[in-house]
Structures are given as C-alpha cells and as structure tokens.
Amino acid sequence: SQKIEQNSEALNIQEGKTATLTCNYTNYSPAYLQWYRQDPGRGPVFLLLIRENEKEKRKERLKVTFDTTLKQSLFHITASQPADSATYLCALGRTNAGKSTFGDGTTLTVKP
Amino acid sequence: GAGVSQSPSNKVTEKGKDVELRCDPISGHTALYWYRQSLGQGLEFLIYFQGNSAPDKSGLPSDRFSAERTGGSVSTLTIQRTQQEDSAVYLCASSSPFPDQPQHFGDGTRLSIL
C-alpha cells in the first residue's frame, strides 16, 4: 500500500540556520508533490508545488527538490526565523486522481 | 476575498447523536475535499467532490458517514450515531478543478464526542 514518511516528528534548529525536512514515499508514482504549512488550530496553507519532471523549485527563502528515483522530496527553509515554527506537511497526487495523500507532518521549532 | 468557511468551529455532542458539519468553499472552486485530522496526526482523506458529484468516496470510514454537495457550492458532512472514535478535527478544502492545484483549507470543525 502507499506510504508517505516525513522525517522525525519534530525538528529543532537555531534561528538563522537552514531547516531541511524530508518526505519519502513508497508504492506510489506521484505526478506532483505539494508542501503545506499548518499552525496550531488552523487549516494547512499551501506553500509550493513541484511536478515529477521538475528537479527544484524556489520561492523566497523556500526551496523544494523532488527526486523520483530516490522517491524523496526535500524542503529547505534558509535563514530560518522563529516565525517559521509550524508543522509542515507534504502531499502527493496524480493527475488522474482528484485527491492528494498527505504525510503526518514534521513540527519545526526555530529557537531565537 | 473570502476563504473557505466551516461551521461550527467546535461541536460537542453525546455518543449516539447525529452531527452535521458545513463547508462553504471559495466561490468558483469546483473541487471540494473533506479530511479528518486526529490529534498530532496527518490528514486522512474522506471524500472528494467535483461539482455536485463525488467520484471518490473511498475514505469514508463507515456507512455512518455521508456527504453531499448542492449547487456546486456548499457541502455538508453528516455523521450518524456518533462514536467516541469520531472525535477529531474535520477539515474542508476547495480548489479549482485541475488535480495539481493548491487546496485552500478552512480552519476545521473540532468535534468532541462525550
């Protein structure tokens, strides 16, 4: 069955460092992968999308990579700030299916 | 513009009662999704609508769960004869019709079954 694993449930880093979050998947061939941010008590908010034929996407301090051979996506936040503290979710989908499948998320804490 | 609106934001009910959860999607979004999120967990897919039809109901956990969408807009998720294991946050999202489009989420209904 399909499985999505996000690295450790919690990641703690110092302000100014780069945070790297991992999303691994098995038994799945996604056409695209999305990253969302979720704050406590709120719904997820879309951050970035990367398609299977793209290696890397950037948006401001965010960078996403997608390696379909390794079946892995890496999500980087450079020059991290305490305001980046949140839970980050990856979601995978196929173009012939309406739904996306979400990972359990990684909770990032950036300490001043 | 207005985002996805869910009501009520919190619902406490007794075991065995029926509950209805409402979702108002972003105007013009033809795709609508329901998810369930238990404490500290990821999102569990429940059902997907394209317009008023539901091509994927595969995530509904039992026949106590049903959902409908009318006028290609508002959706209602109904849970009959609630059980304690139904306690969770129920999230609704909407998007434009193409599968890779970002989903816009409401802030959810926190359901507690006593």
Side-chain angles (χ1 to χ4, degrees):
Chain A
S1 61
Q2 300 169 6
K3 190 172 182 181
I4 300 173
E5 287 188 344
Q6 295 192 238
N7 66 326
S8 61
E9 290 183 1
L11 182 64
N12 298 312
I13 65 167
Q14 206 66 35
E15 182 176 9
K17 301 291 186 184
T18 295
T20 298
L21 285 67
T22 305
C23 178
N24 295 300
Y25 58 92
T26 56
N27 297 325
Y28 202 87
S29 296
Y32 61 89
L33 189 148
Q34 299 172 335
W35 283 89
Y36 289 79
R37 168 184 173 140
Q38 186 174 25
D39 291 287
R42 306 299 301 274
V45 175
F46 172 78
L47 296 174
L48 280 170
L49 174 144
I50 188 165
R51 294 186 174 83
E52 61 180 334
N53 60 348
E54 298 174 319
K55 297 294 186 186
E56 181 179 300
K57 271 281 187 70
R58 291 176 185 262
K59 179 183 176 182
E60 298 173 351
R61 294 184 295 111
L62 309 180
K63 184 177 85 170
V64 173
T65 64
F66 194 9
D67 189 325
T68 55
T69 301
L70 292 179
K71 295 185 182 292
Q72 178 182 81
S73 174
L74 299 179
F75 177 78
H76 306 272
I77 306 174
T78 58
S80 60
Q81 305 165 1
D84 295 327
S85 299
T87 296
Y88 292 85
L89 301 160
C90 67
L92 282 66
R94 285 192 285 256
T95 51
N96 62 348
K99 69 181 183 184
S100 297
T101 303
F102 282 79
D104 286 345
T106 296
T107 299
L108 172 67
T109 301
V110 181
K111 299 183 178 179
Chain B
V4 176
S5 177
Q6 291 189 247
S7 60
S9 55
N10 286 283
K11 177 73 176 178
V12 181
T13 192
E14 294 179 347
K15 176 183 172 182
K17 300 286 189 184
D18 297 351
V19 294
E20 281 190 355
L21 312 180
R22 177 186 169 104
C23 174
D24 277 282
I26 291 173
S27 178
H29 279 186
T30 59
L32 186 146
Y33 310 80
W34 282 98
Y35 297 89
R36 179 167 71 175
Q37 187 172 35
S38 300
L39 190 63
Q41 301 297 308
L43 276 65
E44 176 189 3
F45 169 79
L46 297 178
I47 188 169
Y48 155 65
F49 286 92
Q50 185 59 258
N52 289 337
S53 65
D56 191 344
K57 307 179 183 179
S58 62
L60 294 177
S62 76
D63 59 8
R64 296 187 295 104
F65 288 72
S66 63
E68 65 176 13
R69 189 178 185 194
T70 55
S73 182
V74 172
S75 177
T76 302
L77 177 69
T78 301
I79 309 173
Q80 295 179 309
R81 305 181 302 282
T82 52
Q83 304 293 313
Q84 287 188 331
E85 61 263 27
D86 299 335
S87 296
V89 176
Y90 289 81
L91 290 161
C92 173
S94 69
S95 74
S96 54
F98 305 104
D100 63 354
Q101 294 302 297
Q103 294 182 34
H104 299 262
F105 284 83
D107 286 334
T109 293
R110 184 174 301 276
L111 178 64
S112 300
I113 309 298
L114 302 178

